[in-house]
């Protein structure tokens, strides 16, 4: 069983940056695709970014393209989401998700989820 833990959330002013990290216990993340999703108050869960298990290929939501970067740190066995030029609309709880067999924007295809970390962007 893969257990995921997110870290790095917080409060930042518009235009600022945050780096979220997703760590796994129980199993290595090496062979898992990792996705980041977010959920703002009163809204559904929204895809943000994903990276393939083998590394390399990435997917981004149009709303974050050119501002956010998803990556892996193989030595630390983590996946990160670097968020730059943050906007108030980016305020949400951010979740990382992992799956051994999928690489997709669809949240229901991921089997493993973290508890989420709050990101708040003030105007």
């Amino acid at each position: 069983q893969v257990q995921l833990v997110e870290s790095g959330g917080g409060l930042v002013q518009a235009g600022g940056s945050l780096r979220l990290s997703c760590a796994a216990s129980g199993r290595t993340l090496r062979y898992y695709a990792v996705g980041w999703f977010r959920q703002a108050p009163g809204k559904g869960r929204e895809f943000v970014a994903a990276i393939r298990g083998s590394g390399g290929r990435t997917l981004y939501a149009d709303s974050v393209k050119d501002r956010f970067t998803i990556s892996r740190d193989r030595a630390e066995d983590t996946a990160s989401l670097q968020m730059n030029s943050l906007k108030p609309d980016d305020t949400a709880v951010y979740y990382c998700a992992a799956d051994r067999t999928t690489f997709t924007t669809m949240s229901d295809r991921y089997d493993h989820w973290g508890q989420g970390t709050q990101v708040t962007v003030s105007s």
Side-chain angles (χ1 to χ4, degrees), residues 2-111:
V2 177
Q3 287 148 353
L4 303 176
V5 178
E6 303 95 338
S7 60
L11 173 64
V12 65
Q13 287 189 328
S17 298
L18 282 174
R19 186 177 183 88
L20 305 183
S21 185
C22 177
S25 62
R27 299 241 175 124
T28 177
L29 272 180
R30 179 175 299 179
Y31 305 112
Y32 288 74
V34 175
W36 284 96
F37 295 81
R38 65 187 182 187
Q39 188 163 15
K43 295 187 177 181
R45 194 164 290 187
E46 175 189 25
F47 169 76
V48 176
I51 188 165
R52 201 170 203 135
S54 59
R57 191 175 172 205
T58 56
L59 296 170
Y60 292 95
D62 287 344
S63 60
V64 307
K65 205 170 289 184
D66 299 326
R67 298 189 298 124
F68 290 11
T69 303
I70 189 170
S71 62
R72 290 181 179 273
D73 185 327
R74 297 235 180 246
E76 297 291 328
D77 199 23
T78 58
S80 297
L81 184 69
Q82 177 66 41
M83 306 186 295
N84 299 328
S85 302
L86 283 160
K87 306 174 181 179
D89 283 350
D90 295 318
T91 295
V93 177
Y94 283 70
Y95 299 89
C96 75
D99 197 86
R100 186 71 186 261
T101 60
T102 194
F103 174 57
T104 179
T105 63
M106 300 171 65
S107 61
D108 60 359
R109 300 293 295 275
Y110 288 83
D111 281 344

